[in-house]
Structures are given as C-alpha cells and as structure tokens.
C-alpha cells in the first residue's frame, strides 16, 4: 500500500542515504579511500581558490572588462540553472548512488533516490566548472570587499539550480515513462529547440536574457559588497527558503516517476531486429554486436544524441567563432567516452565470458571496441561542428584545418585514455537504466576531470592554430598528438593481448 | 565423427590463482570422447574456474591443460575452436539477438551453411519465436537454454556446460539432455557442472567431485544414484 509523503519518510530517506554511502565506501580499497579523501580536499581547496583569487586579481584588469562581465553575469547564473536542468533530464532524473542491479535486494525509497541524485550532481565536471565559473566571475566583478557575503547568495543559487534541475528531471522522467511518454518528451525537446532558435533568429534572445530574474542574485551579491546588510539578509533568506522548497518538492515527482514502469527500457528489451546478411569479416562481426549494444541501450542512445546536438545548439545560440568551435569536439569526445568508453567491455555485459570463448585473435575484439568508440566520438563531434557552422561564417583555411584537426586529435586522445581505463579498471554494469553510468560516480568524476583538462587544453591549442596564416600549422601540431595517441592505443592493445589481463576484465564485467 | 574413448580433456596439476586466492589447487581431470563427465561439488569448489580454463577464458597459473590434443596455453585459439562453452553466469550479450550471437559464432568458427542447424537447435529449445529478440529481455531459463544452443551449435569435440540445468523447465532439461546425448554419440567429450545430482547421473557416465579447489573423488556417476549415492556424495562434500 502506498502512503503519502511524511516527515518520517524524509528522515528515513536520509538514514538510508547514509547507509548507501557507507555501502559504497566499504567497496573501496584503503588506497582508493585515501585517494578519495585527497581528491575531496583538492576540490575544496580549488573551490576556495576559485572564489578568492579572482577577487584579488581584479584590480589588475581594465575596468571595461569588468563592466562587460557585470552585463552577462545574470545570464551566467541562468545558464547554470539550464545546465543543471539538462543534466538531470538527460540522465533520467539524475545518477544512481547504487546501480539498480546491486540495489535490487534493498528497499531504496524514492526519497533516498532523490537525495542521492542531488548529492551526486556535483560529481560532474560540467557542473563543477560552471559552478566555479559563476563563483569566480562574481568574485572578479565584486572584488574582495565582504567577499564571503557576496558569494553566499551565489552558493545558495547553485543549490537552488541543482534542486530545480532535479525537480524538472524527475517530472520529465515521469512523463517519459508514460504511455506516449517518448513522443511527448521528444515533442517537448523539439519545441524547446525551435523556441530557442526562434528567439535567436529574431534577435529577442539577448533582450530576454537582460530581463532574467537572476539579476536579483547579482543585486543581492552587490548588497553585501556595499554593506546593505538588511536587503542582503532578506534576499539570502528568500533564496534559502526557495532552496529548501525545491529540495522537498523534488520528492513528489521522484515518487511519481520511479513508481512508473520503464517503458522505453522494456520496449527495447522486447524489440525484434530482423536478421541482416552474414558479416564479411571477423572485425565487422564484432563491430556489429558492439554497435547493437550502443544503439539498443537507453542511456547510450540518448547520450549520443544529446552530445551530438546540445553543444552544437549552444554554439548556434552563442554565435561562436570558428576559433572557439575548436573547443567543442573535446567536450563532445569527453562526454562520449563517459557514456560507455571508459568501461568499454561493459557493452558485452554477462556475454563477455561467452565472447571470450570464441576463437578470435584478441586484437580483433580490441579493434572493434576502438572502432565503435571512435565512430561515436567522430559522429557526435561532426554533428556539433555542423550545427556550429551555421552561424560561424565561412572559415579560413587555418580555421577549417584547426577544427578538423582538433576533432580527430581529441577523438583519438579520448579513445586512447578510455580504452586504457577500460582495461585497467573494469566494472560490472548493465547500462540498462537511463540513469546508469559505466563506472561508480566518484570514479566517473575523476575520469571526467581528467578528460576535460586534456581535451580543453588540446582545444585551446587548436584555437591558437586557427589564428595562423594557413592550415599547415594545425596539421603539423596534430601529427605528434596523433602519433602519441596511436602509440597509447597500441600499448593498451598489447596489454589486452595478455590472457591474464583479458580474463580479469571479462570476469569482472560478466560478474 | 570423432574416435570414441580417446581422452579429449587431460588436465594435470591445474592451479589457478586470482591474486592471493587460489581457486583451483592441483586438479587432475581426464574426460573421454563419447562420455559425459560430471563436475560436482559445493560452491567455490573450483568447478566453474576449471571450466573457464578449459574454454580458454582464463589462463592456467600452473599445470597442463590439453583439450582435444591442444595445449590451451600454447594454442588458445585452436583450443577455443575445439570447445563449445556454456558459462555459469549469463553468457549472452544483453542487447544482441540470438541470431546475431549465432552469426558471430558462425563467422569466428568459420561455419558455412549453418542456418538450418541454428534454426533446428532454436526450435528444439523452444526459442524459435525469440530468435530476433534481444536477449536482455529473456527470462533466466531462456538465457540458460540459449547458452546451451551456443555451446553445441558448432558440434564441438569438447562440450563444456556449466550449470546448464539451472532454472530451466523440464522441456528445456530434456532438450539439453538430448544435446548432450547427441554430442556423446558423435564422440565428443562432455563436461557438465551442476548441483543437480540426478540430472548429472542421467547425463554422465563419470563423475569428479571437487572440494576446496582439489579433486576428492573420481567415480562412476551411477554410484552416486539412490539413497546410498546421496549419502556418499554428501560425505564427500564435507
């Protein structure tokens, strides 16, 4: 018998959350726990630096730059909320603290799921970078005077945006699980994109941003700087009440959504696929199975589509110049690898043991994983560039060469890193649920940070080559990257050829 | 058709270690063509690990493992060609259909004109209607039955069935027993790991009881039948 929401449910939800966190922690080796503690301290330290440092370097910058930032700051705040909403919507209501197949024996309530998803939201490099960006920019604009007071409303806003994202995420997930849910959510997505495109093309996008309610956030931060503590306290109180309300409100759609059947997942599991002609080579046979594993998985299919469209849509809305488009393939490639590439053999799931018992050279199975990951990254990156190209104008030779080189280089770079991690640290996951990830949340956060740093640096390098007089520079810069990534791929391939390594990977992913 | 009576599996002093854990501690196994050998024992006795070594999925840490005259350490690909393996867990790629599994197996095992045999096996295991459905939606029993189909598909000289009867309905059990009988009639060696003693006795002529990673008894499977056999088997487990 279902009961209505109650205070007990909330307190039990917190207690269950603690138990699940302890369960997760027990699964870590002592060295991993130590690394986790260090990573936590580093993140806290970095956050502090990101808040404080810009406030003090501000004086060295021209006032005009600061003025520009004041104008766009409310849009940055709004952008963070949009990102939080998109993150929760695309991950089917947020990430799972414990994968469904492991949690099946425990009565994990929807409230616990909701709190868990909220807790895991920051373990995402896009969330972290955006949060750091708005905190740092606020400090930069307002300076060191009463900095803690200036930043506090923004910190509460980060909580609000995350809770709002979770609330919307659960609602969309609940709708998606309805009878015609897929159709409705697709229509909503198309409507949102069409609406955004209309606003951009009719020139009403920027004026709309100027009227964003987040202007009040900036004013609250400014109140602290000028010492208007009464207004500041009132604004912070309002924000805190809103945060509490949104966190609590998220429990209702969470209960509703999680009680509904997972129609899309069930439909895919019951789907028939007519036979295609027999494969012409061993590699094609392997690739076919891996492709099927990607396109018939709800989180992977959705993730690839979002990756192909979302950064391109942002580029389209932001009217990005070609020299900045070079950064996008890196973001897309990192996101693509985080869908399944960092644990590539999880595509085989429990079939890994059978597949390993087939008479095929280890290099063929390895090459198949490399090919499918590369093609996903290149296709998603290509889609992004295509969308970005609509408003970026006609590229020069150097710009075109730089964008193409950046796409190829980051795809190889990310594939090499992802395959290395796949062989070193496999995990047993089924990637069935829309909320599933290929590795535990903390591990995913580490992977995403490393990928983001590597690919953004590479993207910035090609931003510089885009300003060169011709495209040859970009090609020359790309060559050592391609060689290094190829070497890394071959080295991992050699590791995979070792039967001891291979048996460990297949035994783990099939368990 | 192979020669009946030849030793198709020869395992001597097999040891398998996973880090600090030694899963198999010096097992000797001999299985003959045309005969079934039951691997019996409690959980963790080393049955599945031994099967995985024979299938070429796990390399032996120590010892000699010869499958159909092929040393699995020296020529693992040839050993994999000679064996058909039904793993104890899952064994199916969750988002591929049975037909896609069969296409992959046929390609890698260099089979031609395999479609009729595949259809026949699928029908016998009552999976004909599900041959183009993704296996992720299969029930446990359906998955087990299809794993047996995959193992027997290429008519291997060595058939390795790890828990083939687990959660399978009586008709599925019957079909599996039929496949085992056919394999033995062809002269193949069949190794069956199961906790279901009666089915093991029905399928196999020989039995090897494992305990704690070592073999504690090699006997005629028939001697494990009846009340006396049950008591003897129970005594071997402790």
């Amino acid at each position: 018998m279902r009961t209505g929401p109650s205070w007990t449910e909330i307190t039990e939800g917190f207690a269950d959350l603690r138990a699940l966190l302890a369960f997760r922690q027990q699964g870590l080796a002592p060295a991993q726990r130590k690394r986790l503690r260090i990573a936590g301290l580093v993140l806290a330290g970095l956050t502090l630096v990101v808040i404080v440092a810009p406030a003090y370097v501000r004086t060295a910058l021209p006032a005009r730059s600061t003025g520009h930032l004041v104008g766009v700051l409310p849009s940055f705040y709004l952008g963070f909320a949009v990102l939080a909403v998109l993150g929760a919507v695309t991950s089917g209501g947020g990430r799972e603290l414990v994968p469904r197949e492991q949690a099946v024996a425990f009565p994990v309530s929807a409230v616990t799921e909701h709190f868990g998803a909220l807790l895991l939201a920051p373990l995402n490099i896009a969330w972290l970078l955006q949060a750091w960006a708005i905190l740092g920019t606020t400090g930069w604009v307002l300076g060191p005077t009463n900095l803690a007071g200036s930043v506090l409303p923004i910190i509460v806003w980060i909580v609000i945006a995350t809770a709002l994202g979770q609330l919307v995420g659960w609602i969309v997930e609940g709708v998606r699980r309805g009878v015609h849910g897929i159709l409705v959510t697709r229509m909503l997505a198309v409507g949102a994109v069409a609406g955004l495109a209309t606003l951009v093309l009719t020139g009403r996008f920027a004026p709309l941003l100027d009227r964003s309610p987040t202007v009040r956030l900036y004013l609250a931060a400014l109140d602290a700087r000028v010492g208007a503590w009464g207004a500041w306290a009132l604004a912070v109180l309002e924000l805190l009440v809103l945060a509490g309300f949104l966190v609590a409100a998220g429990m209702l759609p969470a209960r509703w959504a999680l009680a509904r059947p997972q129609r899309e997942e069930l439909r895919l599991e019951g789907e028939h696929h007519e036979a295609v002609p027999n494969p012409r080579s061993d590699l094609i046979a392997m690739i076919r199975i891996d492709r099927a594993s990607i396109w018939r998985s709800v989180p992977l299919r959705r993730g690839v589509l979002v990756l192909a469209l979302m950064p391109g849509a942002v580029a389209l809305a932001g009217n990005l110049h070609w020299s900045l488009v070079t950064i996008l393939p890196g973001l897309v490639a990192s996101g693509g690898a985080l869908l399944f590439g960092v644990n590539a053999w999880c595509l085989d799931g429990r079939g890994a043991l059978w597949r390993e018992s087939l008479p095929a050279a280890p290099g063929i199975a390895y090459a198949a994983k490399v090919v499918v990951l590369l093609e996903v990254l290149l296709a998603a990156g290509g889609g992004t560039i295509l969308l970005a190209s609509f408003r970026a104008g006609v590229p020069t030779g150097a710009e075109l060469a730089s964008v193409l080189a950046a796409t190829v280089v980051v795809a190889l770079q990310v594939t090499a890193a992802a395959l290395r991690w796949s062989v070193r640290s496999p995990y047993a996951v089924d990637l069935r649920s829309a909320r599933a990830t290929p590795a535990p949340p903390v591990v995913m956060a580490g992977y995403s940070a490393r990928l983001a740093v590597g690919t953004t640096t590479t993207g910035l390098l090609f931003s510089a080559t885009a300003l060169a007089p011709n495209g040859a520079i970009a090609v020359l810069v790309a060559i050592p990257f391609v060689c290094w990534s190829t070497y890394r791929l071959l080295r991992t391939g050699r590791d995979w050829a070792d039967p001891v390594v291979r048996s460990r990977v297949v035994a783990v992913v099939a368990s | 058709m192979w020669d009946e009576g030849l030793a198709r599996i020869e395992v001597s002093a097999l040891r398998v270690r996973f880090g600090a854990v030694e899963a198999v501690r010096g097992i000797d196994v001999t299985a003959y063509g045309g005969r079934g050998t039951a691997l019996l024992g409690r959980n963790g006795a080393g049955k599945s690990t031994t099967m995985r070594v024979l299938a070429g999925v796990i390399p032996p840490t120590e010892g000699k493992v010869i499958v159909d005259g092929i040393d699995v350490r020296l020529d693992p690909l040839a050993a994999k060609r000679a064996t058909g393996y039904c793993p104890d867990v899952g064994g199916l790629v969750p988002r591929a259909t049975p037909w896609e599994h069969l296409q992959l197996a046929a390609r890698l095992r260099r089979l031609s004109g395999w479609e009729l045999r595949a259809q026949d096996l699928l029908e016998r295991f009552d999976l004909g209607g599900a041959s183009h459905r993704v296996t992720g939606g299969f029930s446990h029993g359906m998955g087990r039955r299809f794993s047996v189909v995959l193992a027997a598909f290429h008519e291997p000289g060595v058939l390795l069935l790890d828990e083939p009867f687990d959660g399978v309905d009586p008709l599925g059990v019957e079909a599996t027993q039929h496949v085992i009988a056919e394999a033995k009639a062809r002269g193949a060696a069949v190794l069956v790991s199961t906790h279901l003693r009666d089915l093991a006795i029905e399928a196999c002529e020989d039995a090897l009881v494992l305990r704690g990673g070592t073999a504690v008894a090699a006997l005629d499977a028939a001697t494990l039948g009846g009340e006396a056999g049950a008591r003897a088997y129970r005594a071997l487990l402790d």
Side-chain angles (χ1 to χ4, degrees):
Chain A
M1 188 173 71
R2 287 190 70 195
T3 55
S6 68
W7 179 248
T8 315
E9 197 179 12
I10 296 173
T11 53
E12 282 181 356
F14 275 117
D16 290 351
L17 184 65
R18 275 200 301 276
L20 288 177
L21 286 171
F23 175 69
R24 269 286 186 207
Q25 201 187 10
Q26 280 161 8
L28 298 173
Q32 287 175 309
R33 285 184 206 179
K34 191 178 169 189
R35 278 206 296 272
L36 188 61
R37 275 197 296 272
I38 292 170
L41 287 173
V42 168
L43 274 181
L46 272 175
T47 306
L48 202 62
V49 169
V50 159
I51 292 171
V52 175
Y56 286 91
V57 295
R58 173 181 176 258
T59 47
L61 292 164
R64 213 175 123 199
S65 302
T66 311
H68 282 317
L69 273 177
V70 171
V72 295
L73 209 45
S75 302
F76 278 10
Y77 299 149
L78 188 66
F80 182 80
V82 171
L83 174 101
V85 168
L86 286 176
V89 167
T90 54
S91 60
R95 298 300 179 203
E96 295 165 320
L97 193 58
V98 175
R100 205 181 51 129
E101 63 273 18
Q102 288 175 25
V104 73
F106 311 108
V108 180
S109 71
V111 173
T112 309
E113 290 275 12
H114 173 59
F115 291 149
L118 276 173
L119 198 69
L120 295 183
L123 292 181
N124 170 335
I125 196 67
W127 187 99
L128 267 178
L129 289 177
Q130 292 272 348
W132 284 344
I134 60 173
L135 287 170
T137 317
T138 305
W140 195 21
V141 167
L142 295 175
T145 312
N146 297 329
L147 181 61
S150 299
V151 161
L152 186 63
I154 312 306
I155 291 173
V156 184
W157 171 250
I158 288 170
V159 177
I160 289 172
T162 309
L164 175 71
Q166 205 53 52
L167 176 79
V168 178
W170 289 127
I171 291 171
V172 174
E173 180 60 13
V175 170
R176 190 183 71 89
R177 292 187 185 194
V179 180
H180 302 293
I182 306 292
L183 182 67
V184 173
T185 46
R186 280 181 188 162
M187 282 169 63
L188 284 173
V190 170
V193 171
L196 181 68
T198 309
L199 287 174
V200 171
L201 295 174
T202 55
R204 281 181 287 170
F205 188 58
L208 190 73
L209 287 180
D210 290 341
R211 290 199 298 275
S212 164
T214 48
V215 171
R216 289 178 63 197
L217 259 182
Y218 173 70
L219 294 177
L222 193 63
D223 283 339
R225 186 180 177 235
V226 298
W229 294 113
W232 176 86
L234 195 63
V236 170
L237 187 66
E238 274 178 27
L239 289 169
L240 283 171
V241 169
L242 183 60
F245 170 75
L246 288 171
V247 168
M251 290 188 289
L252 295 173
R255 279 166 62 103
W256 172 65
L258 291 170
R260 306 195 92 186
Q262 292 179 298
R263 284 179 208 278
E264 192 179 5
E265 288 83 344
L266 293 170
R267 184 179 57 79
L268 285 176
E269 283 178 5
E271 236 175 26
H272 281 69
H273 298 275
E274 286 312 312
V276 292
N278 292 329
R280 290 190 309 275
S281 75
D282 295 357
L283 182 62
I284 291 173
M286 293 272 197
I287 288 173
R288 267 193 196 172
I289 294 272
D290 287 332
R291 276 190 194 140
S293 296
I294 294 168
W295 293 108
R296 295 174 193 166
S297 159
V298 172
L300 300 191
R301 192 151 78 168
R302 188 186 299 182
V304 173
L305 286 174
V306 169
L307 270 176
L309 298 176
M310 204 54 73
V314 170
L316 207 56
N319 199 9
L320 281 193
H321 187 261
W322 280 109
S323 60
L324 285 176
V325 172
T326 55
I327 298 168
L328 297 181
L331 295 175
V332 173
S334 301
L338 292 169
L339 289 174
F340 70 93
V342 293
N343 186 18
W345 274 271
C346 75
L347 291 179
D348 296 339
R350 291 188 150 193
L353 281 174
W354 167 74
R355 211 166 149 168
E356 179 55 20
S357 76
L358 293 170
I364 295 174
Y366 178 73
K369 293 286 188 285
V370 172
V371 169
V372 292
L373 180 54
L374 259 179
E375 69 185 12
V376 164
L377 303 188
L378 289 172
T384 300
I385 292 169
L386 187 70
L387 282 175
S389 69
F390 289 129
R391 293 189 76 200
V394 179
T396 64
E399 286 168 345
L400 186 63
S402 296
V403 168
L404 293 177
T407 308
V408 173
V409 164
V410 293
L412 277 170
Q413 208 174 12
V414 167
T415 304
L419 266 293
R420 181 109 194 110
W421 294 331
S422 299
V423 171
R424 265 194 192 168
S425 309
Y427 297 94
V429 285
D430 70 358
L431 291 183
R432 178 180 174 268
S433 154
R435 301 174 62 206
T437 52
V442 173
V443 178
M444 290 297 287
Y447 285 160
S448 71
R450 288 157 78 178
L451 287 173
V453 170
T455 55
T456 307
T457 310
T458 308
L460 288 172
L461 186 64
F462 284 101
S463 290
T465 62
L467 304 174
N470 60 57
I473 307 287
V475 176
L476 285 173
V477 169
I479 289 170
F481 279 99
V482 170
C483 291
W484 173 242
S485 296
T486 308
Y487 165 72
R488 291 187 73 195
L489 277 171
L490 292 173
R491 193 178 58 181
T492 307
R494 278 199 301 276
D495 289 348
W496 173 252
D498 179 348
V500 176
V501 171
R502 222 163 52 241
S503 68
R504 187 177 54 81
V505 174
V506 298
V508 170
V509 298
S511 62
Chain B
M1 186 76 78
W2 292 278
D3 290 331
E4 199 175 317
L6 280 179
R8 296 204 173 276
I9 296 174
E10 293 173 275
V11 175
S12 57
L14 172 65
R15 284 179 181 273
V16 182
R17 269 190 290 272
F18 302 113
V21 178
E22 194 164 35
V24 176
R25 304 173 186 178
I27 285 180
D28 296 325
V29 185
T30 306
Y32 297 92
R35 293 177 74 85
T37 304
L39 277 187
L40 303 170
R42 295 179 62 187
N43 303 128
K47 304 184 298 291
S48 294
T49 305
T50 304
M51 286 278 201
R52 289 180 187 188
V53 172
L54 290 166
V57 175
I58 292 178
T61 310
E62 282 174 35
K64 204 161 185 65
V65 181
I66 308 290
V67 174
D68 227 14
I70 303 151
D71 189 324
V72 294
R73 199 196 294 269
L74 298 179
D75 195 350
L77 280 189
K80 287 176 180 181
R81 275 187 208 107
T83 56
Y85 173 53
C86 158
D88 58 330
V89 284
L92 306 177
V93 179
R95 287 176 289 279
T97 67
W99 199 257
E100 287 164 347
H101 281 80
L102 291 162
Q103 279 185 314
L104 178 65
R107 171 72 216 179
L108 298 179
R109 295 189 183 283
R110 307 286 180 257
L111 305 181
S112 56
W114 53 271
E115 288 85 353
L116 281 179
R117 160 120 180 118
Q119 273 164 359
D120 174 51
L121 275 173
L122 288 170
E123 292 299 335
R124 279 158 59 186
F125 280 82
D126 198 20
L127 292 166
S131 57
H132 299 298
R133 226 178 89 187
V134 291
T135 61
F138 278 15
S139 67
H140 175 72
M142 285 172 84
R144 290 280 76 202
R145 281 185 275 147
F146 183 55
S147 277
V148 174
V149 169
L150 285 174
F153 172 49
H154 55 291
E155 301 185 333
V158 173
L159 183 59
L160 306 166
L161 304 176
D162 198 353
E163 302 291 356
F165 306 115
D166 178 36
V168 175
D169 62 40
L171 295 181
V173 168
E174 206 173 278
T176 303
Q177 293 283 21
H178 194 242
V179 158
I180 292 171
E182 271 183 354
K184 288 192 292 188
R186 282 200 312 271
V190 181
L191 214 59
V192 180
S193 161
T194 180
H195 291 290
L196 304 167
R197 193 173 44 91
D198 290 343
L199 292 176
I201 294 165
E202 193 182 331
C204 303
E205 289 75 20
D206 307 313
L208 187 72
V209 182
L210 305 183
R211 192 174 66 204
T214 55
V216 290
L219 55 164
D220 279 347
T223 60
L224 295 171
E227 284 294 313
R231 278 196 299 277
Y233 178 50
R234 178 71 183 76
L236 286 168
L237 295 180
D238 282 332

